[in-house]
Amino acid sequence: MNKYSSFKTACAAIALFVSAVPINKAAAQNKDGNASSVTIGMEPFVTKLMSKMTVDEKIGQLNLVVTGNVATGTTMSKGIEDKLKRGEIGGIFGVWGTENILKYQDVAVKNSRLHIPLIFGLDVIHGHETIFPIPLGVSATWDMGLIEQSARTAAKEATAEGLNWVFSPMVDIARDPRWGRISEGSGEDPWYGSQVAKAMVRGYQGKSMTDADAVMACVKHFALYGGAEAGREYNTVDMSLIKMYQDYLPPYKAAVDAGAGSFMSSFNTINGMPATVNKWLLTDLLRKQWGFKGFVVSDYTALNEVTNHGLGDLQTVSALAVKAGLDMDMVGEGFLTTLKKSLKEGKITQQEIDLACRRVLEAKYKLGLFGNPHKSINADREKQDVFNDDTRKFARKIAEHSFVLLKNQGETLPLKKSGTIALVGPLADNHSEMLGTWVIAGDPKKSVSVAEGIKNVVGDNVKVLYAKGSNITDDSLLSIRAFALTGPEQKDKRSPQEMIDEAVEAAKKADVVVAVVGESANMSGESSSRADIDIPESQKDLLKALSKTGKPLVIVLFNGRPLTLTWEDKHAAAILDAWAPGTEAGNAIADVLFGNYNPGGKITATFPRSVGQIPIYYAHKNTGRPFDGTGGAKFKSDYLDISNDPLYPFGYGLSYTTFSYSSVQLDKTDPVGNTTVKATVTVTNTGKYAGEEVVQLYIADPVASISRSVKELKNFKKVFLQPGESKVVSFNITTADLKFYNEKLTYDWEPGKFIVQIGTNSSNVQSASVDWSKR
């Protein structure tokens, strides 16, 4: 029998016990291959199914196991096939590919008593097999169309390999670059992060989650994980309710509003209660206040780890979790091994188990798995839709759009497509480091290195002198810890000085030096917090030696977070932040270096001058003793040794061209009530290259019932201008843009003066004022 025909048998079994509807109606497929749902509605379907389930089978639906080669903890699941036959597993993650998925799904739908299909998940963070820039880099595009397309493309690839659930997007606001997982999010701003969250959910889930190329999004980490103290992974989070609601919760709420199908609880505590067992968080806020209708899964063994927080043994915390609103337990099997006992002892109720089970089954219904448990298992799609010319072309495009030009002294860039270049650095001819952190299915061997990209873009027109110059790090402890999962860095056998000497000799023979340096992919992401966020010392020594040659020094920076770049900013002629660009890294970098594409990215997380400034972000509160750079510094809010200002502010990014802004024009200066104020600037390309500019709108509320942020991003528009061209850019401002959470957590606006600011970044703006009254 053809293995793909087995879905008919499974679907028939499901249909027989749920209703008398014939299989050709209950589990038909549309002509386009998308699975239609069963013919009866979700609620009666799930209710009838649950009426046939034992307590053990209901608890089994709450159990998520891991298999394959994916592990982000110390525990791996065992006895999977036997548990599948007993109905003790609701979902599997860590496995992909049609053959692998088919094997497990067939056991569930053919060999378990009720034939309930599995949900298959994976960490598809920035692409599946075709890898895009890390999310922090993708956010630097300021292009919601590209961001949504990145999720849509990833969903098509993931479903072509049998998956139907992705643990993405990560929408945590992060204002501490020491935290490694800042690389997985969209930076520091709640309004911008909300726009990205909505775009990602739309991209993953498509028009309908029943479609064969749609996956269910899993929004993480709920909640406030980006506020971990000291920027240290898995650490405590403690903040006021106003800060939660105003600055950290909005992207999660935006994802709910966009229809996200699932959420993942975070590792941290909130108000002293771990998120995974926090009823206020998972039920009162997420479901009752926000109206979330999906299910919540724990992070990897997060339920078991509640014991380490001091709340009791596994049975105790498992009971707390199901009562709080956690529906699925990832890997730890606390639910599987303790809930039945807790039920018998009266510590939980049957209703609480049923509610969690219902939510998991409803997710499978929404995905169309009861109509066709094999809807995404299609060998033809796996051959055609994964890692093809179209996906690689898109990867190159979004990478180019993500790059941020941090410095370009004397128009060093773009480079001439002639002459001699010294290409140096441990990341210059390196495949394994192109993809960045959190890459599960991507193959580093298929990535394009920077050396290859330059060859592809300019051929033999440019002479390239290559020298590695240094290892990524010569710090043995950092190397051991950073490369713990991937194996040790392949160190060059030469001494550090020999490698530097070779690079210097190449530089002396070249017209310009391109140094490709920065963090290894392993130096950011989960469990990769760093107290020192400089470029590793071995590479900095290389840069210092290259700088002494007097040749123009262009730094191509790989990084998963804002770094402290004060020396580099002072001594390099140009700095191009490439983040971790993905599969098409080298081609995209070469396109930008040689002017085939004019970079237009803007950073979404502030770059500090020193770690001593952290946390640092543009939307800070006023202080009673501000230091404005004038007058005496004593008894002011400042540092003795450095400026308060960041190295690069939020929204910053240069171009090969230049832009000028007119003053801000308002069509009303005394608006009343729920009206609209139109704010306008004229932006002109004053340089010699065509380019894109991200025009940013901020609003300041200088007098309010509580202390407000000095300014808040409220909108942006991206415009493309030819040299000499001008465009009028307008924003419609409504009272919705003026709202904030007051001391009673009421979300409203107050009448008074507002300052409208429009500019090229959060620090460089033009301003105008309005006096807005309620009536």
Side-chain angles (χ1 to χ4, degrees):
M1 178 183 290
N2 186 308
K3 62 183 178 181
Y4 295 103
S5 67
S6 62
F7 87 90
K8 295 181 180 179
T9 303
C11 294
I14 294 169
L16 285 173
F17 74 77
V18 175
S19 70
V21 180
I23 185 64
N24 62 339
K25 293 182 179 179
Q29 278 190 288
N30 300 326
K31 291 180 179 179
D32 60 1
N34 297 335
S36 64
S37 179
V38 292
T39 56
I40 63 175
M42 180 172 70
E43 184 175 354
F45 180 95
V46 172
T47 298
K48 191 160 188 177
L49 173 55
M50 289 182 63
S51 72
K52 299 180 180 294
M53 297 175 71
T54 65
V55 172
D56 289 319
E57 287 167 335
K58 290 175 180 178
I59 293 173
Q61 287 300 301
L62 317 185
N63 185 29
L64 177 65
V65 302
V66 62
T67 186
N69 297 317
V70 179
T72 58
T74 58
T75 302
M76 289 293 286
S77 303
K78 299 178 181 179
I80 290 176
E81 187 167 341
D82 289 339
K83 289 172 182 173
L84 284 174
K85 292 176 181 178
R86 295 193 298 266
E88 294 180 350
I89 294 174
I92 295 178
F93 77 101
V95 62
W96 64 95
T98 55
E99 286 193 18
N100 294 325
I101 298 289
L102 180 69
K103 177 180 67 174
Y104 289 110
Q105 192 70 290
D106 270 359
V107 175
V109 299
K110 295 165 72 174
N111 297 330
S112 66
R113 187 177 76 89
L114 294 179
H115 318 289
I116 299 173
L118 297 166
I119 185 171
F120 290 92
L122 194 69
D123 289 282
V124 177
I125 307 300
H126 49 112
H128 177 53
E129 289 207 16
T130 308
I131 305 301
F132 312 130
I134 57 171
L136 188 61
V138 168
S139 74
T141 65
W142 292 67
D143 189 321
M144 294 305 134
L146 283 178
I147 291 171
E148 182 173 340
Q149 188 179 351
S150 73
R152 184 89 288 275
T153 303
K156 289 181 178 179
E157 280 201 339
T159 55
E161 295 210 304
L163 299 166
N164 43 46
W165 188 28
V166 295
F167 303 144
S168 176
M170 193 202 89
V171 303
D172 302 325
I173 295 301
R175 294 172 169 179
D176 189 333
R178 293 173 299 180
W179 189 53
R181 301 194 81 165
I182 193 173
S183 61
E184 289 181 57
S186 300
E188 70 188 52
D189 185 74
W191 182 87
Y192 186 76
S194 297
Q195 311 315 306
V196 175
K198 290 185 287 188
M200 293 294 287
V201 170
R202 289 194 303 266
Y204 284 134
Q205 298 188 170
K207 295 179 181 178
S208 171
M209 282 191 284
T210 63
D211 290 345
D213 64 354
V215 294
M216 180 173 284
C218 186
V219 180
K220 61 185 190 184
H221 306 86
F222 195 60
L224 318 179
Y225 194 27
E229 288 184 357
R232 197 172 76 242
E233 190 70 84
Y234 316 121
N235 205 12
T236 299
V237 174
D238 194 8
M239 64 179 67
S240 69
L241 285 171
I242 287 179
K243 191 169 187 177
M244 286 185 201
Y245 275 82
Q246 189 69 34
D247 299 333
Y248 281 80
L249 291 177
Y252 307 109
K253 174 62 163 57
V256 171
D257 293 342
S262 65
F263 265 59
M264 181 184 293
S265 68
S266 54
F267 289 112
N268 55 280
T269 57
I270 297 169
N271 290 331
M273 181 66 71
T276 301
V277 296
N278 193 315
K279 186 175 185 295
W280 172 82
L281 181 72
L282 303 183
T283 296
D284 296 343
L285 177 65
L286 181 60
R287 292 189 166 103
K288 293 181 179 179
Q289 288 189 37
W290 292 354
F292 176 64
K293 302 298 183 184
F295 77 100
V296 179
V297 62
S298 76
D299 208 332
Y300 201 114
T301 64
L303 176 57
N304 309 66
E305 293 160 27
V306 174
T307 296
N308 292 337
H309 287 287
L311 272 72
D313 62 14
L314 185 59
Q315 182 183 355
T316 300
V317 300
S318 296
L320 286 174
V322 79
K323 294 175 82 68
L326 185 75
D327 304 307
M328 184 175 269
D329 171 17
M330 184 186 290
V331 179
E333 299 195 344
F335 280 0
L336 187 70
T337 58
T338 72
L339 286 189
K340 191 173 182 179
K341 181 180 179 184
S342 291
L343 179 64
K344 290 179 179 179
E345 295 173 353
K347 295 176 180 177
I348 59 173
T349 66
Q350 184 65 55
Q351 183 180 13
E352 288 163 343
I353 292 175
D354 286 354
L355 183 56
C357 178
R358 175 175 289 276
R359 289 171 178 152
V360 173
L361 294 175
E362 286 179 348
K364 295 178 180 182
Y365 185 101
K366 292 171 186 176
L367 282 164
L369 294 176
F370 287 110
N372 180 2
H374 299 74
K375 70 165 191 172
S376 297
I377 303 176
N378 184 316
D380 290 335
R381 277 197 63 212
E382 187 171 28
K383 294 176 182 177
Q384 297 168 5
D385 293 351
V386 178
F387 204 78
N388 57 37
D389 290 344
D390 288 339
T391 63
R392 297 195 69 155
K393 182 178 180 182
F394 175 72
R396 184 170 180 167
K397 178 180 180 180
I398 196 169
E400 292 168 353
H401 283 70
S402 73
F403 299 159
V404 181
L405 187 62
L406 298 175
K407 183 180 181 182
N408 194 25
Q409 180 179 315
E411 298 184 347
T412 301
L413 295 178
L415 300 175
K416 296 178 181 178
K417 295 178 181 178
S418 61
T420 302
I421 292 174
L423 178 65
V424 302
L427 303 176
D429 193 20
N430 187 316
H431 288 271
S432 62
E433 299 293 348
M434 298 297 99
L435 303 186
T437 183
W438 263 122
V439 172
I440 303 299
D443 185 353
K445 295 176 183 177
K446 296 179 180 178
S447 68
V448 180
S449 73
V450 179
E452 290 171 337
I454 290 175
K455 181 70 173 178
N456 293 339
V457 169
V458 296
D460 295 328
N461 295 326
V462 173
K463 184 178 181 180
V464 177
L465 305 176
Y466 167 75
K468 184 176 180 181
S470 74
N471 294 309
I472 293 174
T473 178
D474 290 326
D475 182 328
S476 57
L477 179 60
L478 176 60
S479 183
I480 290 170
R481 301 194 68 179
F483 292 90
L485 292 179
T486 60
E489 177 192 356
Q490 296 300 310
K491 301 279 190 180
D492 198 289
K493 295 181 180 180
R494 294 171 294 173
S495 70
Q497 191 58 52
E498 286 178 300
M499 297 170 69
I500 288 176
D501 289 345
E502 180 189 39
V504 167
E505 287 303 308
K508 290 177 179 178
K509 300 173 183 176
D511 303 310
V512 62
V513 179
V514 175
V516 189
V517 296
E519 292 186 304
S520 162
N522 302 286
M523 290 179 179
S524 65
E526 185 172 356
S527 192
S528 296
S529 297
R530 293 181 64 198
D532 178 358
I533 53 173
D534 275 357
I535 289 175
E537 195 66 27
S538 59
Q539 299 179 62
K540 182 158 285 191
D541 289 343
L542 169 64
L543 293 175
K544 290 177 179 178
L546 294 171
S547 177
K548 291 177 182 178
T549 67
K551 297 298 178 73
L553 175 61
V554 175
I555 294 177
V556 176
L557 185 68
F558 277 62
N559 52 316
R561 53 163 58 84
L563 299 176
T564 47
L565 301 170
T566 50
W567 184 92
E568 291 79 3
D569 182 73
K570 182 177 180 180
H571 292 90
I575 305 174
L576 179 69
D577 195 335
W579 312 106
T583 299
E584 287 290 306
N587 288 332
I589 288 170
D591 281 338
V592 172
L593 287 178
F594 291 98
N596 292 351
Y597 177 76
N598 184 357
K602 304 269 188 174
I603 59 174
T604 58
T606 301
F607 278 55
R609 296 178 183 276
S610 165
V611 291
Q613 294 176 299
I614 296 170
I616 184 169
Y617 47 94
Y618 84 90
H620 58 83
K621 297 293 190 292
N622 285 300
T623 171
R625 295 186 176 186
F627 178 66
D628 59 6
T630 62
K634 207 63 179 172
F635 308 115
K636 300 289 187 179
S637 181
D638 67 340
Y639 300 98
L640 292 177
D641 50 350
I642 62 171
S643 166
N644 288 2
D645 297 329
L647 184 62
Y648 306 122
F650 175 86
Y652 174 86
L654 304 176
S655 170
Y656 292 157
T657 193
T658 53
F659 300 97
S660 68
Y661 283 70
S662 71
S663 60
V664 177
Q665 302 297 317
L666 305 175
D667 70 341
K668 301 181 185 72
T669 55
D670 297 293
V672 178
N674 292 322
T675 186
T676 298
V677 173
K678 186 176 183 180
T680 302
V681 293
T682 300
V683 182
T684 303
N685 184 340
T686 55
K688 57 185 180 181
Y689 295 96
E692 293 172 304
E693 170 69 342
V694 179
V695 183
Q696 301 160 42
L697 168 70
Y698 299 85
I699 295 179
D701 184 1
V703 179
S705 59
I706 63 172
S707 182
R708 299 295 318 285
S709 299
V710 294
K711 66 181 69 175
E712 293 176 346
L713 179 71
K714 294 298 179 181
N715 211 335
F716 71 92
K717 289 186 178 178
K718 197 168 186 178
V719 296
F720 180 83
L721 296 172
Q722 296 290 340
E725 183 182 7
S726 296
K727 282 187 180 178
V728 175
V729 180
S730 298
F731 297 97
N732 290 325
I733 303 170
T734 70
T735 55
D737 299 311
L738 312 179
K739 291 182 177 181
F740 65 98
Y741 288 95
N742 63 25
E743 62 179 340
K744 297 179 180 179
L745 289 184
T746 300
Y747 189 59
D748 201 1
W749 68 284
E750 299 170 350
K753 180 181 179 181
F754 298 90
I755 303 171
V756 178
Q757 304 178 359
I758 303 177
T760 186
N761 61 61
S762 59
S763 294
N764 188 351
V765 294
Q766 303 287 332
S767 301
S769 299
V770 296
D771 191 352
W772 208 315
S773 59
K774 285 222 169 184
R775 60 171 79 81

